[in-house]
Amino acid sequence: MARPYDFKTLEAKWQRIWEERRAFRVTEDPAKPKYYCLEMYPYPSGKIHMGHVRNYSIGDVVARYFWMRGYNVLHPMGWDSFGLPAENAAIEHGVHPATWTTENIAYMRKQLKQMGLSYDWDREITSSDPDYYHWNQWLFLKMYEKGLAYKKPAFVNWCEVCQTVLANEQVEGGQCWRDESEVIQKELDQWFFKITAYADELLDGLDRLSGWPERVKTMQRNWIGKSVGAEVEFPLVGGLGPITIFTTRQDTLYGATFMVLAPEHPLALQLGQGSPEVQAFVERMRVEDRIVRTAPETEKEGVFTGAYAINPLTEEHIPIWVANFVLLEYGTGAIMAVPAHDQRDFEFATRYGLPIRVVIQPEEQALTVEDLEKAYEGEGVMVNSSSFSGLPSAPGREAVVLYLEEKRIGKRAVNYRLRDWGISRQRYWGTPIPIILCERCGTVPVPYADLPVLLPQDVEITMKGGSPLTRLESFVNVPCPTCQGPARRETDTMDTFVDSSWYFLRFCSPQARDQALEKPKVAYWMPVDQYIGGIEHAVLHLLYARFFTKVIRDLALISHDEPFENLLTQGMVCKETSRCPQHGYRFPYEVDAQGHCTECGQPVEVGRTEKMSKSRRNVVDPDDLLSRYGADTARLFSLFAAPPEKDLEWSDRGVEGAFRFLNRVYRLVDGWVEELRHPAPRISFAALTIGRPLCQKAHLAIKKVTEDIDRDFHFNTAIAALMELVNMLGLFELHGGPEEEAERRAVARFAVETLLILLAPFAPHLAEELWERLGHGRNIFEEPWPTYDVEAIQREELLVVVQVNGKLRSRISLPADAGEEDLRLAALQDSRVQTWLEGRQVKRVVVVPKKLVNIVTDQ
RNA sequence: GCCGAAGUGGCGGAACUGGUAGACGCGCAUGGUUCAGGACCAUGAGGGCGUGAGCCCGUGGGGGUUCGAGUCCCCCCUUCGGCACCA
C-alpha cells in the first residue's frame, strides 16, 4: 500500500534534522568562494505575511542553489524590532513593548522555521537588543566626532497620530507613510546625520551598481536631485547686500527682471522694514502650514519689499519681492526671476505686472514678449545678452560662469534636493541617543566606556504626547561626564532606519562582544552578493544603507564602497478583492457560495486585483497555507506563479496546482523506490535505446533550470522545466522486455535523481525525503549541482520549418548533420511546398541552419 | 506635467541574441478508473471558415524597416509605479 504524501510529518522531520545538524551554520573558509545572500529582515509585527513568504522563498532558493554550486553561503536572518507598533500595542493592550516584541519574534521565528528556510540561526540578531543598539550608539558617537551627527533647530515633519517627527523620506504626498494622516510642520531641536556630505558619492556610485534595477537607481538619482549651476551675487541698491542666488540657467541672467526672497529669508523683514504689508505677509507665511504653502496647486503670491537690487550684468535696478513659492532650504533661499524662461516666474510676473524680457531664442520659432503665453524653458541661442548674444545655451552657461568668476561676483555651484537625515524621534521604543546636555558644558557625548545607554524598562507608556522617557527622572537626571555637575540626558531616540543601515555588516560577526564589527570576518563576507526585498525601500533604507557603508568605510572598519552588489526588488503579492455595496471590502468567508454578502445578502462585486492588505480584506494567512498544504507547496507556488520581480497574483487554484505537482512527484518516486534503490550500472548515452528520450529530457532540465536561475532568477520557467520532466517520467514504463530491464532502471534512476536535485532548492523537504528513501545517506544539498551532457541534448533529427514568403507552409524532418544545401533542397522538394510554388518563380531562398527555410517568390 | 515599467488565449504566465506565438500551470471538455463523488490517469483545445486535406485572422491601436517582427524604429491609446513650485 502506497504511503500518502504526509507533508506535515515529513517537513517537521527534515526541519528537525537540519536544526540538529546545524546544517546551515557557516564560518569563514578561504578555500571556498563565498556568497552572501540576504533578504530584508522583517519588523516583528506579530505574524509573517505573504510578502514575507515570497521574499524568503526567493532568497532561500538562491541560497540553496549557490550552496549546491559549492559556494560558502552566508544566509542570516534577524529582527528589525524597534519601532512604533510596539508602543501602540503597549497603549492599546497594556503590554510592555519589550514583551510584545519578544513574543512576536518567538512566533515569527517558528513560522520561518516552518517554511524550512536555510538560515544560519546562530547569527540571528535583534535590533532592540542592547548587544545590537549599543553599536548604533557607538556609530553615532563616531559620526558626532566627525561632524556627521549634529543638532539644529529645524522645521520637521510632525505626525499628530504617531506623535513624532518623520524624515522627509517618510512623508508621502503630505501624509505619514505609516498611517496616512496629514503631516504638519513644527520647529524643534533635532539630531541630523549629514548624508549630504556624501551626496556626490551616493550619486556617482549608482553608475557602478550594474546589478541594481534601473528604476531603483533612477529613483535614488531623483531623490538626490543634483543641479549644477552658479551662485550669483546681486548687490543691493544703497550699498547693502549682496543677495546671493542659485541658478542652473545663468544663460538667462540678462532676462532677470526681479528677485524673490523666501519669506523666512533674513533679508525679507529687513528690507521690508517700513512696510506693514511685508511684515504681515511674512508673518502669515510663517504660520501657514508649509506643506500647503509649497503644494504646486497653491497660487503664487507675494509682496514688493520696496527695495531694489542691481542685475550684475545689465546693471539695471530690479525690484525685490518676497513670495511663497521660494523655499529657504533650497539653494540660497533667494532667486533671480526670469519670467520669459521660467514658468513660475512667468506666472508671478503676469499676476503682478512685472517686466518680461526674452533672452533665449529657440531654433524653430521666434519668441516675442507680446505673444508669449507661457515661459519658454528650453534651450536656444542667447539674445539681448550683450557680448554673449549668439551663443547657444550650453556654451553660454559656461561663458557666463567664467565671466562671473573673473569679476568675482559669482561662482560655479551645485545644489542637491537631498537634505540631511533627521534621526530624532520623540518616542520610547528606539535606540537612546547617547548625548548628555549640561548647562555648563553644553552638549556632551556619553563616554564610550559608559555605552550602551540602556533603554529603561520601567516606563509608563500612555497616549500623552511626547516620549515617556522625558518623564522618567531616573533616566533623565545624570551627572555631566565632563564637569560632574547636574545634567540631563537626551531623551530622543533614533529613527529605526539607523538600525537597518548596517545590520548586514553585523551579520558577519553577530556575537562580537566588544566591537561593532570584526574586520577580518566582514572583509571575508562583504559585500552582500544578493540582496532581496520590496521596492518600497528603493529610496529610504537602500539609500541610508549605502550612506552608512561609506561612513563606516571612512572609519576604516571596512574597505568596500557599496553594500549590495546585486539587488532584486520583488513584486507585490496581490489578490482580487470583494466589495459589498453596503459593507465595503469583504473577506472570502463573508461572501456566500452565491456571491452574496453574509451580512446583508446583497450581491458582492468582485473588484480588481490589488496588493494584499488587511484593510482590503484580501489577505491569505501563511499559517493556513502551511497547515493545509505545507511549506514546499507554499514556496513552490509563490515561485511558480510569476517571475520574482513582477507582481504575483494569488490564486487558490494555483496553490492546489503546486500541491498536486508535489503529490505527483511523491507518488512517482515513492512508487519506484523498491526498484530503484540499488544503483544500476550507468549506461553511456550513446548506447541508450528505449531510455534515450527520458535521459535527454533530464539533461535538458539540468540546462534549463541552471540557466533560468543564473539568468535573473526566473524560477517560474525553471519549475516549468521540472514539470516537463515529471510529465515524461510519468509516461515512462519501468518494466519492458528482459534485455531492456537494466537500461530502463538505470535511466529512470538517473532521471529521478536529477529531478530531486534540481527540485531541492524549491521544495527542499520533499527532495530530502525522497532522496533518503532512494538510499542516500547524506543531505541532498550536499550533492553537487549537476551539469548536462552536451552530447545528450543534441538531437539526431531536426524539425525544420519551411516558409513560403514568410508564411509557415510545412515542416520537414532532417538528420542533424544536414548542411545548408541539404536544407534548401529538401525544402524545395517538399510536396506541400511544391503546391505553393506552382506558377511562381523562386527569387531567393533564405536558410537558417538547423532551423528554418524561407522561400521567397515573385508574387 | 516629467521620468520609468508594462499591455500576449477564459486566467497566471512562456518565447535567451528578429526565425514554428501561446512552454508550464489553472480552468474547461471528452474518455478511463470508481457504486458514486473526490482524487488519479489519458486525450483535446487561440479565434473564425471548411465534411476534409487545409485556408484566413491573430501578441493594445496605426504606420515603417526586413525574406521574416510579440521582439527593432516612429506616432498614438490604456494601466501601474516614482517624482513634482528644487530656481
Side-chain angles (χ1 to χ4, degrees), chain A residues 283-538:
Chain A
E283 191 49 42
R284 185 157 64 79
M285 287 300 131
R286 198 192 294 282
V287 295
E288 188 173 290
D289 187 84
R290 292 166 50 78
I291 288 166
V292 175
R293 197 193 102 193
T294 55
E297 305 85 61
T298 306
E299 209 177 331
K300 291 165 189 40
E301 58 168 332
V303 289
F304 175 44
T305 59
Y308 288 84
I310 299 166
N311 181 323
L313 295 192
T314 63
E315 301 197 341
E316 279 173 303
H317 290 193
I318 59 174
I320 303 169
W321 287 62
V322 179
N324 59 347
F325 70 93
V326 176
L327 311 171
L328 185 69
E329 304 82 14
Y330 188 79
T332 59
I335 61 160
M336 66 171 191
V338 186
H341 305 292
D342 183 290
Q343 187 57 23
R344 294 156 299 175
D345 300 348
F346 181 83
E347 285 168 30
F348 196 78
T350 313
R351 176 165 178 183
Y352 292 104
L354 293 157
I356 299 172
R357 184 180 304 145
V358 171
V359 291
I360 297 289
Q361 280 295 352
E363 270 172 39
E364 319 83 58
Q365 90 260 33
L367 295 181
T368 58
V369 174
E370 291 70 39
D371 39 50
L372 210 58
E373 280 172 359
K374 57 175 194 201
Y376 173 74
E377 296 185 328
E379 305 264 299
V381 173
M382 292 175 72
V383 294
N384 297 323
S385 299
S386 178
S387 59
F388 296 101
S389 294
L391 278 175
S393 296
R397 280 193 287 273
E398 187 59 26
V400 170
V401 93
L402 280 171
Y403 180 80
L404 293 171
E405 281 176 341
E406 193 181 307
K407 292 274 171 190
R408 298 181 180 282
I409 49 170
K411 59 175 190 211
R412 281 167 213 284
V414 176
N415 259 286
Y416 300 92
R417 209 188 74 105
L418 181 72
R419 307 289 150 78
D420 279 341
W421 173 16
I423 59 147
S424 288
R425 296 293 178 273
Q426 290 67 42
R427 300 299 308 198
Y428 164 69
W429 194 236
T431 304
I433 292 176
I435 289 289
I436 290 166
L437 306 161
C438 170
E439 270 177 41
R440 204 174 328 160
C441 314
T443 302
V444 183
V446 172
Y448 287 102
D450 294 349
L451 294 184
V453 176
L454 287 173
L455 186 65
Q457 299 287 301
D458 53 334
V459 290
E460 195 195 337
I461 297 159
T462 63
M463 204 86 87
K464 289 202 197 79
S467 163
L469 291 178
T470 58
R471 297 188 291 270
L472 192 67
E473 296 296 319
S474 60
F475 176 75
V476 174
N477 296 323
V478 66
C480 168
T482 310
C483 70
Q484 309 309 316
R488 298 176 63 80
R489 269 189 206 285
E490 172 65 74
T491 56
D492 283 354
T493 51
M494 294 183 204
D495 182 0
T496 55
F497 277 105
V498 174
D499 313 350
S500 53
S501 291
W502 69 284
Y503 78 111
F504 45 89
L505 294 169
R506 182 72 182 173
F507 273 138
C508 301
S509 53
Q511 275 113 20
R513 293 294 304 169
D514 46 6
Q515 51 187 328
L517 312 167
E518 286 177 45
K519 277 177 79 170
K521 291 185 178 178
V522 180
Y524 175 82
W525 291 113
M526 284 297 290
V528 172
D529 293 275
Q530 184 64 54
Y531 197 33
I532 307 163
I535 186 74
E536 65 273 19
H537 293 111

Side-chain angles (χ1 to χ4, degrees), chain A residues 206 212-221 535 537-539 542 567 569:
Chain A
L206 291 171
W212 280 41
E214 206 49 53
R215 62 176 177 150
V216 174
K217 291 192 276 187
T218 305
M219 281 162 75
Q220 292 211 354
R221 281 189 193 104
I535 186 74
H537 293 111
V539 183
L542 290 169
L567 174 68
T569 49

Side-chain angles (χ1 to χ4, degrees), chain A residues 123 260 321 349 443 478 554 609 637 651 667 699 788:
Chain A
R123 291 175 185 264
V260 188
W321 287 62
T443 302
V478 66
D554 291 345
T609 299
F637 173 72
S651 148
R667 273 196 314 273
H699 281 284
Y788 64 90

Side-chain angles (χ1 to χ4, degrees), chain A residues 14 17-18 21 23-24 768 771 777-783:
Chain A
W14 286 100
I17 291 174
W18 295 331
R21 295 186 191 164
F24 305 105
E768 286 273 36
W771 188 252
R778 57 177 188 180
N779 290 0
I780 193 167
F781 53 83
E782 299 299 343
E783 294 299 316

Side-chain angles (χ1 to χ4, degrees), chain A residues 647-701:
Chain A
D647 286 353
L648 181 153
E649 188 176 326
W650 196 264
S651 148
D652 294 336
R653 294 195 189 278
V655 176
E656 293 273 358
F659 185 60
R660 268 204 301 260
F661 171 71
L662 293 179
N663 270 284
R664 213 169 156 213
V665 171
Y666 178 88
R667 273 196 314 273
L668 186 79
V669 181
D670 193 50
W672 282 353
V673 154
E674 291 310 321
E675 281 112 318
L676 298 187
R677 198 192 303 274
H678 302 291
R682 186 111 174 232
I683 300 170
S684 83
F685 183 76
L688 289 181
T689 56
I690 190 86
R692 218 175 165 85
L694 181 61
C695 184
Q696 181 169 63
K697 194 75 177 172
H699 281 284
L700 283 169

Side-chain angles (χ1 to χ4, degrees), chain A residues 231-242:
Chain A
E231 274 181 15
V232 189
E233 290 178 4
F234 282 61
L236 288 170
V237 172
L240 271 167

